[in-house]
Amino acid sequence: MNKKTLTERDICTKYINPAIQKAGWNIKTQVREEVSFTDGGVIVQGKLYTRGRRKRADYILYYKPNIPIAIIEAKSNKQAVGLGMQQALEYAKILDIPFVFTSNGDSFVFHDKTTSTEKEILLDAFPSPNTLWEKYLAYKEIDNQAAKNIVEQDYYVDTSKSPRYYQQNAVNRTIEAIAKGQKRILLVMATGTGKTYTAFNIIWRLWKSGVKKRILFLADRNALLTQTKNGDFAPFGNDIMHIIKHRKIDKSYQIYFALYQGLTSHEETKKAYKNFSRDFFDLVIIDECHRGSAAEASEWRAILDYFANATQIGLTATPKETKDVSNLHYFGEPVYIYSLKQGIADGFLAPYKVIRVNTTVDDGWQPSPGLKDRYGNEVEDRIYNLKDYDRNLVIDERTQVVARRITEYLKAIDRFAKTIVFCIDIAHAARMRQALINENADLVAKYPHYVVKITGDDEVGKRELDNFTDVEEKIPVIATTSKMLTTGIDSKMVKLIVLESNIGSMTEFKQIIGRGTRIRENDGKVYFSILDFRKATLLFKDPNFDDDPIQIYEPGPDESIVPPDLDENQEEQEEGLGILIDPPLPGGIIGGDDEEPKVKKFYVDNVPVQIAYEQVQYYGKDGKLITESLKDYTRGNVLKTFASSIEFSKKWKSAAKKEELIKELAEQGILLEALKEEVGKDLDEFDLICHIAYDQPPLTRKERANNVRKRNYFAKYGELAQEVIHKLLDKYEAEGFTPLEKGAVLKVKPLNELGSAVQLVKAFGGKKQFDLAIKELANEIYKTA
């Protein structure tokens, strides 16, 4: 047998598979072939989208299910044995795999990341599962039987769902850290990447191994507790799980779910967590740990200090790092990070489009001298801007303009696209709800809850929260809120996020953006839009937006380099922590009996407000927001690949199928259908690119078809064949060239009106001659190219 004639697949079947089987690997349980481990990033232009190429490994080898330890890149025998090593190493880094192999059927090249060595080995010398596993354990410094038992504990077997690669990485790294005795662990995973499902798999393996028997899962939202217990954690069964409510403690369960707020209190007698002994729990999971557990003075932190002997795992999308609060100081460096940027690139999270909107008062408005607001208060004479609006000064006309623009946008895309409007405070959310109701009176008449306010003080709104987040529920569509929806809400179908709040915190900004990042492709959700009325999206330019978290601490000249503990009377003021603020008196006046009333907020009327300008940006292939037009973006991308029109023309003509080349261009972020919407639908794809990228005058498809007809090159064919060519030209003129490349072209109108596909092919002398005729037709169409 001549190996050089075999395909890559043949090499796998005849040489690689037998070699790894002979080494003791179970093909059914330990070996997966052609494993696509990403979904391909969503590329959006205009209203259209496509997906980039999925990352696919030829082989992934597992010591046990979901514990990968080796990767193999296969090549045909025409290629050198080590040719695919660079790609294999890239995949191995992503998949956290230490042993990397390539093969062309003659031998293997083995790259051992545990020793940073690479060598060629015979097919018969492929290492066994136990050999690689022992090397792996030594590399990870897991050197005792107790630790080994922990890392070898099986995952939960679920036939309908299995962890994605990054969830495996997070679980396996956490289990290994605990096996080696680490007590504080931080996992950073972007919103929408399945932190709770990851936590379930960690807990399952630790609980099954017997190393962790009593577990406390802390969250900050009631909805999260029920959702977690009945969802991802359901395999544990209700007999061992319990949600702590009303500070009532029952010590007969093994897995407990609780709100931070439900376990603690400013009153010593109401600190429910103290009803447990300090050693009752041996594992504590802190969900959304950025919300206060890292703050020394926080009551939440008191719970963690009380259960200090337990292993503690913090889960967050946004570690909090300020001068005074540090997740990293408490938990240490994250054992694993999966960022928003990675999630979007992999196609597991939705990219976003940003529309920045400025009104005519946003850059500054000053009242006329002596102006009084609607309650008779004289408005302080100074310049007001975005930092002031709706906090210190309310301009209803601006709220109405914002509501009108939101409505116009929804009318343009989908009036039932789920939308969250983030406002300054609860009062602002109420005004925004009213303005949106007035702009959408037609739908509100039919659906009374089309617009709702979902804030902590609104029982009706809170009752509608489940309907808002339910994929199956159409109503409510628009939710106005202040802080309540920033975190912990599983909002799968949100397609529009409106920023009408001043966001100074990167943590809060990331959490808000995370409300839109979930993908529901089958339900039509693959990207989301951000309407920004407060210039908040300038935070996208901050290098800290999607970088690895960095602890922030500024020691003085004589201070320790170690971040200090906070003073007991320093408290972080976060919404939802039981902090009471006196409500304003009528007219926006605040103050007590012993102090002179002070105007907190002015309400001014009759201020003319209009939209000043808009800027549209969208998420580019490199993870950055692109401001330029589709034309400029396309030109830049085409020129990166094809430096000249001659180079592109050569590629176009030589492409076996134009459709494949168009798909390749789409993977580079060049969506021709979106470009046609902007430039012209009647242009051929070839002309479209040459015109945009190389400034060549374009020909319409009709002009190209007429040029072919004038040359009458098809006179050499018989009568029926000529009719087929004429009909194919008609079809090209109407739809473009790609439909002509499809095998079914002879079975659809207008070709099927001439006879059966078999008859039409015979008119050219057979299938081979017909294929040649199609190629010749392509050459004639693009002859001027």
Side-chain angles (χ1 to χ4, degrees), residues 557-621:
D558 301 317
E559 293 177 334
S560 166
I561 195 69
V562 178
D565 293 340
L566 297 184
D567 191 73
E568 284 186 3
N569 58 20
Q570 286 180 283
E571 288 201 38
E572 184 180 19
Q573 305 261 317
E574 286 198 53
E575 183 178 346
L577 300 186
I579 298 166
L580 299 177
I581 300 172
D582 290 333
L585 299 172
I589 299 174
I590 59 172
D593 295 334
D594 300 327
E595 56 184 290
E596 186 178 341
K598 179 183 176 184
V599 177
K600 179 185 179 184
K601 193 179 290 186
F602 297 105
Y603 295 80
V604 296
D605 297 318
N606 302 316
V607 177
V609 181
Q610 296 176 328
I611 298 294
Y613 65 87
E614 288 189 8
Q615 180 187 57
V616 178
Q617 298 178 302
Y618 49 96
Y619 193 91
K621 191 168 179 276

Side-chain angles (χ1 to χ4, degrees), residues 178-199:
I178 291 172
K180 291 191 287 185
Q182 189 170 325
K183 300 284 285 183
R184 301 289 179 267
I185 292 165
L186 180 63
L187 279 177
V188 178
M189 297 172 67
T191 301
T193 57
K195 290 191 293 294
T196 308
Y197 177 65
T198 301

